[in-house]
Amino acid sequence: MSESKEADKPEAAHGNPSRRDWLLRIGVALNVIAGAALAIPLVGFVFSSFAEKKDPRDWISLGPLEHFPEKTTRIATYRNPYTRPWDGETAEIPCWVRHISGDQFQVFAVNCTHLGCPVRWFQESGLFLCPCHGGAYLEDGSRAAGPPPRGLFEYAYKVEKNILWVKGGQMPTLSNPV
């Protein structure tokens, strides 16, 4: 009689799981994996607010003073110190360097203060001009004409051992001027 009871039980009770049991286990496992894949970045985001924040700005060399003759304005570039490997050429930040005299410089961001278009220096007229909406700036970076709300953003600079250094690493905007 015990043999007939054994024969009446489904196969799953004998230790052989059915197709339904396998699919259920696979579905639960996939849900656990998907939940972990979503939870790990969220937990990292929450705990990142407790990490120590480093000042994004750093002193970066623009080169020797010989590259910037007196009474001239030239373009220079520096590598953003806070880049990712996939940033490529966008990590190279241009700036305008105006050598007034001696150790006196002005280092301007190339971005127009109106919408951020790159301004160009025109030596003949002594103006920085924005090609997007006609903004114009005098050689000292102050606003001359057009829609820009203010003059060009200036970077902090220093001269040490005949090398021009700029404090870079933060993009200038109206909410956080350089």
Side-chain angles (χ1 to χ4, degrees):
M1 181 159 176
S2 66
E3 288 180 28
S4 65
K5 285 186 181 178
E6 291 278 325
D8 292 342
K9 290 185 180 179
E11 279 186 45
H14 292 295
N16 297 331
S18 67
R19 178 185 286 177
R20 180 178 294 195
D21 292 336
W22 278 107
L23 290 176
L24 178 65
R25 289 178 187 168
I26 291 172
V28 168
L30 290 175
N31 280 312
V32 168
I33 291 169
L38 290 174
I40 290 171
L42 290 175
V43 169
F45 174 74
V46 168
F47 286 112
S48 69
S49 63
F50 299 113
E52 182 179 333
K53 301 288 185 209
K54 186 178 176 186
D55 185 8
R57 296 170 297 167
D58 200 7
W59 289 105
I60 302 162
S61 171
L62 288 180
L65 296 184
E66 298 85 49
H67 291 172
F68 309 104
E70 284 193 21
K71 309 270 189 252
T72 63
T73 300
R74 291 200 171 165
I75 191 105
T77 59
Y78 65 88
R79 182 132 182 107
N80 190 342
Y82 301 98
T83 59
R84 303 282 189 265
W86 52 83
D87 286 346
E89 287 187 35
T90 61
E92 297 295 325
I93 308 294
C95 58
W96 289 106
V97 178
R98 177 179 177 233
H99 189 168
I100 301 168
S101 66
D103 285 350
Q104 291 184 325
F105 288 87
Q106 284 184 298
V107 182
F108 302 111
V110 297
N111 309 91
C112 176
T113 58
H114 178 227
L115 292 177
C117 295
V119 298
R120 289 187 53 201
W121 169 248
F122 290 89
Q123 182 70 37
E124 302 80 22
S125 60
L127 294 172
F128 292 99
L129 298 175
C130 176
C132 295
H133 298 109
Y137 303 89
L138 301 175
E139 68 179 342
D140 67 354
S142 60
R143 179 186 174 278
R150 53 160 286 166
L152 291 172
F153 296 106
E154 281 190 58
Y155 289 105
Y157 76 91
K158 67 181 179 179
V159 176
E160 285 183 355
K161 299 177 184 175
N162 280 339
I163 295 178
L164 180 62
W165 296 82
V166 66
K167 191 139 193 174
Q170 181 178 357
M171 293 303 291
T173 65
L174 289 175
S175 63
N176 62 348
V178 177

